[in-house]
Amino acid sequence: MDDRRVVVLVVPAAGTWAPPGRTADAWRLALAEDTYEVLASLDRVDVAVAVVGGDDAALAGVAALTWPGTPVYSVDPTRPVLDAVEQAGPAAAVVAVSFDVPDLPGLLIGKLFRALGSADLAVTPAEDGSLAAIGVKLPTASWVMDAAPTFDTPLAELESLKPRRHAIGIGPGWHRLRSNADLARLDPGLEGWDATRSLLRGA
């Protein structure tokens, strides 16, 4: 069996929420750049980027943020996580990460891969009730295919669908940046998230 491990950054094709005074597209790309840098620094994983419903322009805009050779591809908006996982190619496990976690500790991704040694699905819950990252063991279990989880799928819903007690691994929680209140969670003393930091400072 292929023991390759892949981390896929999942990015919207267009801007979403942004802090006052910042454009949605600039904010989206700053978050995506910083989250990508976290993932690209991980050891022993391959990194790809999936753009939800992205056309050529959207793909090019996101590809400009990545290192040469990083796969960047469009995914189906109706099943973005599973499509991102499937297009990642042959692997033992794939972790899909939401674009809006620029200060995510890389250690949390490692915990998801570890959980996938026995679980079909592993998640990093976000404080707002959504999910910051979703790991899938391949081949994808039938119940995971039916559930088609996204980053906005409540963990309770997935728990209600799992076929056995340990089918879902739950890692430590984190936070996504989706409102003004979330910005208070950013630690100015923490290294990284440079693009996000610069945009917030107005640079």
Side-chain angles (χ1 to χ4, degrees):
M1 185 176 99
D2 195 322
D3 63 356
R4 177 171 171 257
R5 301 189 304 172
V6 182
V7 180
V8 181
L9 172 63
V10 182
V11 184
T16 55
W17 172 84
R22 281 75 179 175
T23 68
D25 244 23
W27 181 246
R28 170 183 67 97
L29 292 175
L31 294 180
E33 180 177 357
D34 287 339
T35 306
Y36 170 79
E37 291 293 341
V38 170
L39 304 181
S41 70
L42 298 175
D43 293 331
R44 297 187 296 278
V45 299
D46 296 328
V47 180
V49 182
V51 182
V52 182
D55 58 15
D56 289 345
L59 292 175
V62 172
L65 308 176
T66 69
W67 290 96
T70 300
V72 179
Y73 50 83
S74 180
V75 292
D76 185 347
T78 65
R79 55 194 306 273
V81 170
L82 289 186
D83 199 14
V85 168
E86 290 162 6
Q87 290 196 55
V94 179
V95 172
V97 181
S98 180
F99 78 108
D100 49 8
V101 287
D103 58 341
L104 181 76
L107 178 65
L108 298 190
I109 301 300
K111 289 183 179 296
L112 295 186
F113 278 119
R114 194 171 305 116
L116 291 173
S118 57
D120 300 327
L121 194 71
V123 300
T124 298
E127 293 178 348
D128 63 358
S130 64
L131 303 173
I134 301 172
V136 180
K137 181 162 65 175
L138 300 180
T140 308
S142 59
W143 77 270
V144 176
M145 292 289 288
D146 292 341
T150 72
F151 298 115
D152 290 320
T153 302
L155 179 55
E157 179 180 323
L158 296 175
E159 291 277 12
S160 72
L161 296 172
K162 67 181 183 182
R164 64 184 193 283
R165 182 179 176 186
H166 298 297
I168 300 177
I170 304 174
W174 198 245
H175 49 265
R176 297 170 63 186
L177 301 187
R178 303 209 291 176
S179 72
N180 284 327
D182 296 330
L183 299 179
R185 299 307 312 273
L186 291 168
D187 180 355
L190 184 69
E191 291 186 4
W193 58 279
D194 294 338
T196 303
R197 193 190 313 261
S198 178
L199 194 59
L200 286 172
R201 289 175 175 169

